[in-house]
Amino acid sequence: MTRFADFVPHGVIPAVLLPFHDDFSIDEKSFRSHLRDIAGVQGLSAVTVNAHSTEVASCTAEEQSRVLEITADEIGDRLPIVHGVWADGSLEAARIAKRAQAGGASALLVFPPAPFTLGQNADMAVAHFKTIAAASDLPIILFQYPLATGQGYPMATLTRLLDEVPNIRAIKDWTQNVQQHENQVRVLQSRSRPVNVLSTNSAWLFSSLVLGCTGLLSGSGSVIADLQAQLFRAVNANDLVEARRLNDRIHPVASVFYAEPFVDMHNRMKEALVLLGLLPRAVVRPPLVKIKEPEILRIREALIAAGLLDASGKRREAA
């Protein structure tokens, strides 16, 4: 049974990080502390686990279950939990969805199957989501990848999915084409049963939110959840002066997190939390490797520019 049975994905939803010991085992103590830090931020709607930010591709099914168990135990009475569904096959995706619901999740974030990079059609996409929906009645957040990856869903496919799989209540929109992004915001949120568009365009979050997204779901919320919540409130209040001020603070951090190679984004976020004194170490699992000192220095400089560290490297209180 879910703790937040009526949850519809919306608002500010950080995707948390997963700390590891030097031997690559899960650092449960640090993970609990990280969860408490995030849950203490005002203005959040939920948290996400077992997604890119928790290095889900490097976690076993048992570890994913443990991540959910810890999250539910630590903050499950405070915020809904969105659980990632990362699987190349639909049957395994359905098993993950069933376990997530039994473990107390309130929504599912469904990643596109990797085989779709070789070619997909609408029948495949519908079959995948119907298989998941048959295993769990939790609301689904569809992860919309850029079309160029082969894993994004064209509008015709997206429309059919929303018509045939009513569990889909939101999309996490990674569309990098501004016109496509805006069109999805307009079309999906104006349906007779609106489907929320959650931005994950963290490198240009201000611009994305101004287009009318009803929320955001981002790994960088593991570091700057408070700034994201403030930005979301400012945009919703049409206070663009305040929104620009907040965007100016977010910009240096987003610039270093989402630099090339893109795969290191959450690696960099772990280093940021170490610099902020919020994690004891920044260990990532292979094939990722620890980033080098010059890049860590750039992250430190970005945190100072954002007002999160002072010039001496001491963490500043949220403002």
Side-chain angles (χ1 to χ4, degrees):
M1 180 179 295
T2 61
R3 290 181 170 84
F4 295 87
D6 298 325
F7 175 65
V8 176
H10 71 285
V12 181
I13 306 176
V16 300
L17 302 175
L18 184 60
F20 300 116
H21 292 291
D22 288 330
D23 64 359
F24 303 120
S25 62
I26 295 173
D27 180 351
E28 295 192 2
K29 180 180 178 181
S30 294
F31 184 46
R32 287 180 180 274
S33 177
H34 177 51
L35 289 167
R36 291 193 298 270
D37 289 340
I38 298 299
V41 174
Q42 295 297 312
L44 304 186
S45 300
V47 297
T48 296
V49 299
N50 289 321
H52 282 144
S53 60
T54 49
E55 298 174 52
V56 63
S58 299
C59 291
T60 65
E62 291 75 18
E63 287 174 325
Q64 291 180 47
S65 293
R66 182 57 181 157
V67 164
L68 176 58
E69 182 181 14
I70 293 169
T71 306
D73 178 60
E74 197 65 48
I75 64 169
D77 60 343
R78 300 169 66 182
L79 288 168
I81 300 168
V82 177
H83 191 289
V85 177
W86 174 285
D88 288 343
S90 303
L91 299 181
E92 177 59 20
R95 284 189 284 268
I96 294 170
K98 187 174 182 178
R99 287 198 304 268
Q101 181 159 358
S106 294
L108 305 171
L109 171 63
V110 178
F111 291 78
F116 281 8
T117 59
L118 303 177
Q120 58 149 301
N121 59 42
D123 288 341
M124 294 178 192
V126 169
H128 182 66
F129 279 90
K130 281 189 172 181
T131 301
I132 295 168
S136 166
D137 61 5
L138 291 178
I140 290 172
I141 305 169
L142 175 152
F143 199 150
Q144 173 69 322
Y145 274 39
L147 293 179
T149 65
Q151 292 177 286
Y153 307 104
M155 181 56 81
T157 299
L158 196 54
T159 299
R160 184 174 162 194
L161 281 167
L162 302 184
D163 288 342
E164 298 190 31
V165 188
N167 293 42
I168 301 174
R169 304 301 305 277
I171 72 167
K172 173 177 158 75
D173 194 2
W174 190 22
T175 301
Q176 296 170 356
N177 178 294
V178 175
Q179 290 174 312
Q180 182 192 354
H181 183 49
E182 180 175 4
N183 188 51
Q184 288 174 169
V185 169
R186 291 180 180 276
V187 172
L188 272 56
Q189 294 182 174
S190 64
R191 289 172 60 91
S192 57
R193 183 181 61 80
V195 172
N196 289 334
V197 176
L198 311 176
S199 175
T200 192
N201 288 304
S202 300
W204 48 286
L205 184 59
F206 172 52
S207 305
S208 178
L209 291 177
V210 168
L211 293 175
C213 298
T214 51
L216 63 110
L217 199 167
S218 166
S220 59
S222 60
V223 181
I224 57 168
D226 185 60
L227 288 174
Q228 289 183 343
Q230 290 183 62
L231 177 64
F232 186 67
R233 286 195 297 270
V235 171
N236 280 351
N238 288 320
D239 187 349
L240 294 186
V241 172
E242 175 65 1
R244 288 192 187 98
R245 184 189 73 82
L246 292 163
N247 185 55
D248 286 344
R249 291 188 62 192
I250 290 171
H251 182 264
V253 179
S255 296
V256 294
F257 286 168
Y258 299 103
E260 295 292 338
F262 195 66
V263 71
D264 272 332
M265 56 184 167
H266 302 114
N267 195 345
R268 297 167 182 134
M269 293 169 199
K270 284 186 174 181
E271 296 288 356
L273 289 184
V274 171
L275 290 166
L276 290 165
L278 297 173
L279 280 185
R281 70 192 74 81
V283 176
V284 290
R285 282 182 171 176
L288 298 178
V289 296
K290 184 177 175 65
I291 60 178
K292 295 181 170 57
E293 279 302 320
E295 188 165 12
I296 294 173
L297 179 58
R298 289 195 292 273
I299 295 169
R300 183 181 185 276
E301 291 170 346
L303 293 173
I304 292 171
L308 300 174
L309 289 177
D310 64 21
S312 69
K314 182 179 179 181
R315 178 161 60 98
R316 291 178 168 172
E317 295 301 318

